[in-house]
């Protein structure tokens, strides 16, 4: 579950940030960190974040206000992390849209267990709503493994489909060459292997494969998927 999940940790206590980073990375999560909410908002815009661990009391904008800001455009799970255990803060945090409330005396292991629990709930809710990823020109039916481009069913090899699915499920997230090799080729191969497969995939899904709009290069690093997701109504 956690292979490519990105966790944003926001806390002005650097020792807590580093502790959580170490434990999360040891559990194969990708971690980005911020010491205030201004920096956190910038990172949230730059990364495809799957969960936020959020301190409440910080200089400047507090965690409650940041939660309210995030909720104007995203339903990403938010776990409040606080030194206070009273019900008032807990009720306020959950009312504002928080998914869990954790007191800082909790062990790192318990915090990670709660992160995994909320990610499982989120995945289950998404599965129950829809199994179609809709990006306008490109639609993936995750149940039937069908891919529609401009309404037309196209044929992809299993590897091409799995690559496209990974990218479409994590829009804007950069996948490095090493990550792609490890996931799809058991670490065997080189960058040329990935470039060949991405080139063939672009030929099938891009209007102009030489000027891709969806499967874009991050030079020297890897690839990412660009596109605005259309929620079902």
């Amino acid at each position: 579950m956690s292979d490519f999940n990105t966790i944003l940790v926001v806390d002005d206590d650097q020792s807590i940030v580093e502790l959580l980073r170490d434990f999360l990375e040891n559990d194969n999560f990708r971690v980005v960190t911020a010491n205030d909410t201004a920096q956190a908002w910038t990172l949230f815009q730059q990364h495809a974040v799957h969960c936020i661990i959020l301190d409440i009391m910080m200089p400047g904008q507090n965690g409650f206000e940041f939660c309210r800001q995030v909720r104007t455009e995203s339903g990403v799970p938010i776990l409040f992390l606080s030194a206070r255990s009273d019900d008032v803060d807990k009720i306020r945090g959950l009312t504002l849209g928080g998914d869990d409330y954790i007191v800082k005396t909790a062990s790192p292991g318990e915090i990670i267990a709660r992160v995994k629990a909320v990610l499982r709930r989120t995945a289950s809710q998404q599965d129950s709503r829809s199994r179609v990823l809709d990006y306008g020109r490109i639609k993936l039916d995750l149940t039937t493994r069908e891919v529609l481009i401009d309404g037309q069913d196209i044929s992809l090899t299993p590897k091409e489909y799995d690559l496209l699915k990974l990218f479409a499920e994590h829009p804007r997230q950069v996948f490095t060459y090493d990550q792609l090799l490890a996931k799809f080729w058991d670490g065997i191969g080189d960058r040329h292997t990935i470039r060949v497969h991405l080139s063939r995939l672009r030929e099938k899904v891009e209007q102009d494969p030489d000027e891709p709009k969806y499967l874009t290069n991050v030079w020297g690093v890897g690839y990412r998927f660009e596109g605005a997701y259309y929620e079902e109504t």
Side-chain angles (χ1 to χ4, degrees), residues 157-201:
T157 67
K159 186 84 73 180
E160 288 168 347
Y161 174 85
D162 289 339
L163 279 165
L164 182 60
K165 176 176 177 288
L166 173 69
F167 284 113
E169 286 182 322
H170 303 85
R172 296 168 47 219
Q173 182 167 322
V174 178
F175 291 96
T176 68
Y177 290 103
D178 288 344
Q179 287 170 340
L180 295 173
L181 279 173
K183 186 170 182 65
F184 295 108
W185 287 275
D186 296 322
I188 301 172
D190 55 21
R191 294 187 177 192
H192 179 69
T193 301
I194 297 171
R195 291 189 185 112
V196 168
H197 278 79
L198 264 293
S199 177
R200 291 173 181 166
L201 186 55

Side-chain angles (χ1 to χ4, degrees), residues 1-15:
M1 177 191 68
S2 60
D3 286 358
F4 292 108
N5 281 317
T6 297
I7 312 299
L8 172 58
V9 178
V10 189
D11 199 309
D12 62 332
D13 187 332
Q14 189 61 28
S15 63

